[in-house]
Amino acid sequence: MIIPSLPSNEQERQIAVQEYGLLDTLPEKDFDIITSLVATICEVPVALVTLLDTDRNFLKSHFGIPINQSPRNTSFCGHAILDPSEIFLVEDAEQDERFFDNPVVTEQGMKFYAGVPLINKDGFALGTLCIFDKKPRTLTKKQKEALKGLAHQVMNLFEERRRNNTMQQLQIELENRNEELKSFAGVISHDMKMPLSNMIITADILKAKYGNELDEKGHEYLSYLKSSSFTLSNYISGLLAHYESDKITTDHKDVFDIHHLLEEIVDLLNINVDCEINFPEKNIDINCNRSALEQILLNLIGNSLKYNDKDEILIDIECYNKNGLYHFSLTDNGMGIPKEKQKEIFTLFSTVGNVDRNGNKGHGIGLSTVQKLINKLGGDISVSSKLGVGTTFEFTIAALIS
């Protein structure tokens, strides 16, 4: 028996084999179909998809034998990957000095072997698609073509696996970086809240203690300092709410009626303008994450109040349960959203550009948080709007089963 030598590029070849992530994996239907098919076409009892590891021949698919690996130093495939021809053929192993006393021949009774090296785009032979028979024989031209064609399909499956592995790794890296970014944003936001509060308080103290000594410009500067601090504080609060929305568990259940929730939200908003809010005609019980829905409605109703230029603000809210989903709509008579901006408003940091009724610009965080929460609750949100007339938000959330 002649032990197969190692390729001159064995170290690089081994790295290539590892990149596909196929060693020691379970059988897969796609590969098993190919070995079954090639065994039928070539009329042999054994067909294999192999990968040559450091000291073993791993059988990714094994038709006709129960094992999933064998020693590399006795493998026919170890010779096949060294052969530059398209098919490595051993028509009668008992008459071949390389194999006549090989355990595969003397113990398992194999006499015939044909293997097509599985060569990747970088030129590394990873393993083989091969067949065995217990009698000396040869292959027809059609059988050889079929064996080569199916080996090509095996290599396609290998490449697909590598691409999937690469995409999964990239996804993991992106998720890790996203978590790091969220953690960083959370820490920075928390750390900035206290200095901003101090700035607001200091502005009030300066105005109270030294107000008589300041001219009109001085009072204007203090007001600007306080207003800017409040704006930045609200921006940071929005960021915190956006990132902390990830912590909301979708399966947390609360049962409550929608009218009661809306009454609490109206109280929280402390509305000081002429406003009429019409609740859903029918008061229904809701079974979902209460805090998440409260944050969604607080944001949407708050926007309807802020971005409204009418003397009397009108807000109509509808809610009903259908096919396991709660359907909500919230319509106002506000400023409206330009058509070209309606697709962008749920993107983080995207703003319409309007100032609210108090002259402040939005930060583009609230609606992104709303969409994130709604998606997390198994629903979706859409918007329709007409400038100068008003806006309607429609969204759904999944009803939890008690």
Side-chain angles (χ1 to χ4, degrees):
M1 181 184 79
I2 298 176
I3 295 174
S5 58
L6 298 178
S8 58
N9 60 357
E10 177 61 13
Q11 187 173 358
E12 292 84 0
R13 192 196 71 82
Q14 276 294 325
I15 293 172
V17 171
Q18 295 287 342
E19 286 177 351
Y20 287 84
L22 287 162
L23 292 173
D24 296 312
T25 55
L26 293 172
E28 295 179 47
K29 186 177 181 180
D30 288 340
F31 294 104
D32 291 344
I33 287 173
I34 290 176
T35 51
S36 174
L37 184 60
V38 77
T40 300
I41 293 171
C42 296
E43 300 174 300
V44 293
V46 176
L48 311 171
V49 171
T50 75
L51 287 159
L52 271 295
D53 198 4
T54 308
D55 56 0
R56 62 173 177 152
N57 195 20
F58 174 69
L59 313 183
K60 176 58 185 171
S61 178
H62 45 94
F63 179 87
I65 57 174
I67 61 173
N68 64 2
Q69 64 180 18
S70 63
R72 180 171 176 172
N73 60 5
T74 62
S75 73
F76 283 54
C77 299
H79 292 274
I81 67 168
L82 300 171
D83 195 295
S85 60
E86 291 181 320
I87 299 181
F88 181 78
L89 278 170
V90 180
E91 295 182 351
D92 187 352
E94 288 185 317
Q95 304 302 317
D96 193 310
E97 64 175 358
R98 296 168 296 180
F99 305 108
F100 73 95
D101 56 349
N102 189 303
V104 176
V105 179
T106 58
E107 297 175 16
Q108 299 177 34
M110 299 299 175
K111 305 293 190 298
F112 169 81
Y113 172 89
V116 178
L118 301 172
I119 301 174
N120 73 0
K121 58 184 176 61
D122 297 317
F124 295 113
L126 310 175
T128 68
L129 172 64
C130 64
I131 54 175
F132 284 94
D133 203 343
K134 293 191 174 185
K135 59 185 179 183
R137 54 167 298 178
T138 187
L139 294 176
T140 66
K141 183 179 179 180
K142 287 186 177 180
Q143 288 171 332
K144 289 178 181 179
E145 291 302 318
L147 187 59
K148 288 188 291 185
L150 289 169
H152 180 75
Q153 291 305 313
V154 171
M155 201 61 238
N156 285 341
L157 290 174
F158 279 12
E159 293 297 342
E160 183 182 351
R161 171 62 64 85
R162 181 160 70 168
R163 285 192 294 270
N164 289 342
N165 289 344
T166 301
M167 291 299 295
Q168 288 174 5
Q169 188 59 42
L170 284 173
Q171 184 176 352
I172 291 170
E173 290 177 8
L174 285 172
E175 288 173 354
N176 289 339
R177 291 191 179 189
N178 190 42
E179 287 301 318
E180 289 173 4
L181 179 61
K182 287 193 287 186
S183 177
F184 174 76
V187 170
I188 293 298
S189 299
H190 278 294
D191 288 348
M192 289 180 69
K193 289 284 282 184
M194 184 58 71
L196 284 169
S197 297
N198 290 338
M199 288 171 66
I200 294 168
I201 293 169
T202 301
D204 285 338
I205 291 173
L206 286 172
K207 189 173 183 179
K209 193 169 183 178
Y210 302 104
N212 295 333
E213 301 175 27
L214 295 173
D215 59 12
E216 185 179 343
K217 209 66 177 174
H219 282 282
E220 185 180 329
Y221 288 148
L222 280 179
S223 296
Y224 179 74
L225 175 64
K226 185 175 179 180
S227 173
S228 297
S229 298
F230 267 122
T231 298
L232 186 53
S233 180
N234 290 336
Y235 180 77
I236 291 169
S237 296
L239 270 180
L240 285 171
H242 180 81
Y243 287 121
E244 288 175 357
S245 66
D246 285 336
K247 299 176 183 177
I248 290 176
T249 56
T250 57
D251 59 351
H252 180 77
K253 300 176 184 178
D254 299 295
V255 180
F256 52 94
D257 69 70
I258 188 62
H259 280 189
H260 185 257
L261 176 65
L262 289 170
E263 286 166 0
E264 289 188 356
I265 289 172
V266 170
D267 288 341
L268 283 170
L269 288 168
N270 192 25
I271 300 169
N272 58 2
V273 292
D274 189 3
C275 177
E276 179 182 329
I277 299 179
N278 299 310
F279 289 1
E281 185 175 342
K282 185 178 180 181
N283 188 16
I284 66 171
D285 286 334
I286 303 287
N287 188 354
C288 73
N289 187 310
R290 190 181 194 278
S291 61
L293 181 57
E294 181 178 30
Q295 191 171 344
I296 292 165
L297 291 171
L298 260 172
N299 201 299
L300 293 177
I301 296 172
N303 278 355
S304 291
L305 293 169
K306 287 191 296 182
Y307 296 99
N308 199 304
D309 53 358
K310 309 300 189 299
D311 292 333
E312 182 184 9
I313 297 172
L314 297 175
I315 301 173
D316 293 319
I317 303 170
E318 297 295 335
C319 175
Y320 62 90
N321 188 350
K322 183 179 179 181
N323 298 328
L325 291 173
Y326 297 114
H327 295 255
F328 291 85
S329 71
L330 190 147
T331 301
D332 63 43
N333 64 336
M335 302 173 185
I337 303 167
K339 190 171 183 179
E340 66 273 12
K341 291 285 188 178
Q342 291 175 21
K343 291 183 179 180
E344 304 173 13
I345 60 172
F346 298 109
T347 303
L348 186 61
F349 303 128
S350 176
T351 61
V352 174
N354 294 344
V355 294
D356 64 22
R357 65 189 296 120
N358 298 315
N360 300 315
K361 289 190 69 173
H363 303 301
I365 299 173
L367 288 177
S368 173
T369 304
V370 164
Q371 185 185 56
K372 199 178 192 183
L373 286 168
I374 289 171
N375 292 160
K376 203 170 178 66
L377 295 178
D380 205 356
I381 184 169
S382 62
V383 62
S384 58
S385 185
K386 188 173 181 180
L387 279 176
V389 177
T391 300
T392 296
F393 285 97
E394 294 181 310
F395 67 93
T396 58
I397 59 174
L400 296 177
I401 301 172
S402 300

